[in-house]
Amino acid sequence: MDRNREWRMTPRQIIGKIGLWLSVFVIVSPAILFFLWMLSLSLKFEIDNAAYPPVFFPERIAWKNYADVLASNRFLTYFVNSLVVTGSATALALIVGVPAGYGIARMAAHKSAIVILIARITPGLSYLIPLFLLFQWLGLLGTLVPQIIIHLVVTVPIVIWIMIGYFETTPLELEEAARIDGATRWQVFRHVALPIAKPGIAVAFILAIIFSWNNFVFGIVLAGRETRTLPVAVYNMISFDQLSWGPLAAAALIVTLPVLLLTVFAQRQIVAGLTAGAVKGG
């Protein structure tokens, strides 16, 4: 009887649950609808994509759209370029951002944290023109190097900002005990702070990859014909004389797939990293 009473919900709790699920549905449903419609476009022939009323479930599946995307427009080359640019920018951001976040958090350098926040919310176009002129003067335009460097403008502030918030909520007792035992500041950071901060590092790693992978403006301005990234490859499929919705949607889905899979498989790490600081801080 006691268990039944515990599991019974009051009318107010039921209304709250219903309201919560309705709110989630209203927020999430547009994104799901757009994704499903893009999937439908990628699986249809152009005659079905141009039909009125619109056809959501095609009678014939146009797998040719995906084959054409992979076989043309240097798509695989652009995929490798994206891997190199995103991987390098994320690795360098972690190497720079994790120690920087630790130092800012331990020194309580709030002004520095504000500077990092300003750098995070400043549009990337603000950095693009001066860096474009610099790379042009250095003769690096058309290579992967300027793209890696300018992607740090996006990834480094993300990593630093996340790590500041995480290190500020981690306990200091273990670090103080290590200092008493004779450990240097670097040893404390390497052997004590880093293992504790693994959930936060995982979140910073995933978000840095997502923002770097999806960046479009830097690639189209700084890249050459052979060094463009995947978002630029999707843009290249838009021509003045014809717009093929099937291959375009297929290309967009292929570009989205790696980040989508990463987010799905790492959702536990993301939730753990975002909530661990709050739990420890509580």
Side-chain angles (χ1 to χ4, degrees), residues 116-134:
I116 298 299
L117 178 60
I118 293 174
R120 172 66 193 93
I121 63 178
T122 302
L125 289 174
S126 303
Y127 308 98
L128 183 58
I129 295 177
L131 287 177
F132 175 85
L133 296 176
L134 175 63

Side-chain angles (χ1 to χ4, degrees), residues 16-277:
K17 284 277 187 180
I18 295 174
L20 175 63
W21 283 108
L22 285 176
S23 301
V24 171
F25 176 78
V26 170
I27 294 173
V28 176
S29 58
I32 296 177
L33 177 61
F34 294 150
F35 180 81
L36 293 177
W37 185 252
M38 188 165 60
L39 179 62
S40 175
L41 288 175
S42 69
L43 296 176
K44 292 186 296 188
F45 291 94
E46 290 307 306
I47 189 172
D48 293 327
N49 286 328
Y52 185 84
V55 177
F56 189 82
F57 297 102
E59 296 181 359
R60 300 175 301 162
I61 302 298
W63 298 111
K64 183 176 179 292
N65 292 334
Y66 289 91
D68 291 344
V69 168
L70 296 176
S72 64
N73 296 323
R74 298 182 177 86
F75 203 84
L76 294 180
T77 300
Y78 295 162
F79 180 79
V80 174
N81 292 339
S82 288
L83 288 179
V84 173
V85 172
T86 299
S88 301
T90 302
L92 291 173
L94 291 175
I95 293 173
V96 174
V98 175
Y102 176 77
I104 293 174
R106 289 295 175 261
M107 295 177 62
H110 301 298
K111 293 182 180 179
S112 299
I114 293 175
V115 172
I116 298 299
L117 178 60
I118 293 174
R120 172 66 193 93
I121 63 178
T122 302
L125 289 174
S126 303
Y127 308 98
L128 183 58
I129 295 177
L131 287 177
F132 175 85
L133 296 176
L134 175 63
F135 294 138
Q136 187 179 43
W137 179 69
L138 294 174
L140 294 175
L141 287 180
T143 66
L144 294 178
V145 174
Q147 296 186 74
I148 295 173
I149 294 175
I150 202 168
H151 274 234
L152 295 176
V153 174
V154 177
T155 56
V156 170
I158 292 174
V159 174
I160 295 178
W161 186 252
I162 291 175
M163 297 315 300
I164 289 174
Y166 195 86
F167 281 124
E168 284 180 344
T169 57
T170 55
L172 294 175
E173 290 78 7
L174 295 176
E175 296 184 22
E176 294 173 352
R179 292 298 301 272
I180 293 174
D181 290 339
T184 63
R185 173 62 70 181
W186 170 250
Q187 290 173 331
V188 170
F189 170 71
R190 180 180 177 185
H191 299 290
V192 180
L194 276 184
I196 297 176
K198 283 183 178 179
I201 295 175
V203 174
F205 171 77
I206 295 168
L207 293 181
I209 286 179
I210 292 174
F211 280 93
S212 178
W213 184 272
N214 292 327
N215 190 276
F216 169 75
V217 176
F218 298 156
I220 198 171
V221 175
L222 299 176
R225 187 174 179 84
E226 297 292 335
T227 57
R228 292 168 180 167
T229 53
L230 278 181
V232 182
V234 177
Y235 174 76
N236 288 342
M237 302 192 69
I238 302 176
S239 61
F240 292 103
D241 55 346
Q242 183 181 5
L243 180 58
S244 300
W245 289 108
L248 182 62
L253 284 175
I254 294 174
V255 173
T256 308
L257 185 61
V259 173
L260 181 63
L261 292 177
L262 176 64
T263 305
V264 170
F265 287 113
Q267 59 181 333
R268 291 185 179 179
Q269 287 78 4
I270 295 175
V271 174
L274 293 176
T275 58

